[in-house]
Amino acid sequence: LSLNCKGRFLILGRATRKYQKYKVSLQNKVLKHNLESKILFIDEVPWKNVSKFYRSLDLLVAPQRHEGFGLTPLESMASGVPVIAFSNVGAFNEQILNGVTGIILKDNNPKKLATKISELISNPKLMKEYAYQGRRHVVKNFQISSEAIKLVEIYENLLSK
């Protein structure tokens, strides 16, 4: 395990009971390699602090293998933070414009993910462009008022049948 960067990596989120052992194994690997000052585990951020948390990031990596819907890419892009995620998880493929607002990988390949992370953090200009385009994309396409209108349309359509 090698990290040749100056930053910190945050692993954020609650592990369900099913994945507690896996989380502990990751934490043990971090300790084994003396990386606890570079890789931090944070359970969940209180809702009132979420936007501040996102704005403090340079990059959001969404490597989930399972996600019901997943708002992390939208929250990240709304905060002006670029995203890397897997396309077959939740609605990520519908939220992220590959090569415009971030990077979306077609398979859950950790080595490809690590390569893309390294390439992106080595290119601050591209990170800024993804951040800018991501914010524009969310503001244009994912306003809460537009989402509410779409939901009402769905319900009206279902009720009219």
Side-chain angles (χ1 to χ4, degrees):
L1 200 58
S2 172
L3 295 176
N4 296 323
C5 86
K6 297 176 186 173
R8 287 192 175 146
F9 296 83
L10 304 177
I11 299 175
L12 175 69
R14 179 180 46 88
T16 60
R17 185 178 298 155
K18 179 179 177 182
Y19 294 104
Q20 280 296 324
K21 287 182 183 179
Y22 178 68
K23 180 180 178 181
V24 169
S25 75
L26 289 177
Q27 290 170 318
N28 288 337
K29 284 180 184 179
V30 167
L31 291 171
K32 178 182 175 185
H33 294 283
N34 297 315
L35 293 170
E36 58 272 16
S37 67
K38 288 216 178 241
I39 302 175
L40 308 174
F41 288 81
I42 301 172
D43 283 332
E44 286 184 296
V45 175
W47 179 246
K48 65 182 180 179
N49 297 331
V50 168
S51 62
K52 285 189 254 178
F53 178 82
Y54 278 106
R55 288 191 306 268
S56 74
L57 300 175
D58 294 317
L59 174 66
L60 176 86
V61 180
Q64 295 95 310
R65 293 181 181 176
H66 308 286
E67 184 73 59
F69 179 75
L71 294 176
T72 52
L74 289 179
E75 293 167 334
S76 175
M77 290 186 293
S79 299
V81 176
V83 181
I84 296 178
F86 293 130
S87 67
N88 61 343
V89 176
F92 294 175
N93 202 32
E94 298 170 30
Q95 298 169 356
I96 302 165
L97 303 175
N98 191 36
V100 177
T101 64
I103 297 171
I104 189 101
L105 299 172
K106 297 203 182 301
D107 58 8
N108 290 5
N109 183 318
K111 288 184 181 181
K112 283 184 187 176
L113 178 64
T115 298
K116 289 296 181 182
I117 292 168
S118 181
E119 289 172 5
L120 191 54
I121 62 175
S122 298
N123 189 341
K125 185 177 177 183
L126 184 58
M127 284 184 62
K128 283 183 183 180
E129 181 64 18
Y130 285 168
Y132 175 76
Q133 292 299 337
R135 172 98 173 110
R136 285 187 63 207
H137 175 61
V138 170
V139 167
K140 180 180 177 188
N141 299 296
F142 294 96
Q143 288 292 326
I144 191 69
S145 57
S146 300
E147 296 296 315
I149 289 167
K150 289 175 188 174
L151 282 173
V152 169
E153 288 172 359
I154 290 168
Y155 291 131
E156 286 176 344
N157 186 32
L158 289 171
L159 291 171
S160 69
K161 291 185 179 189

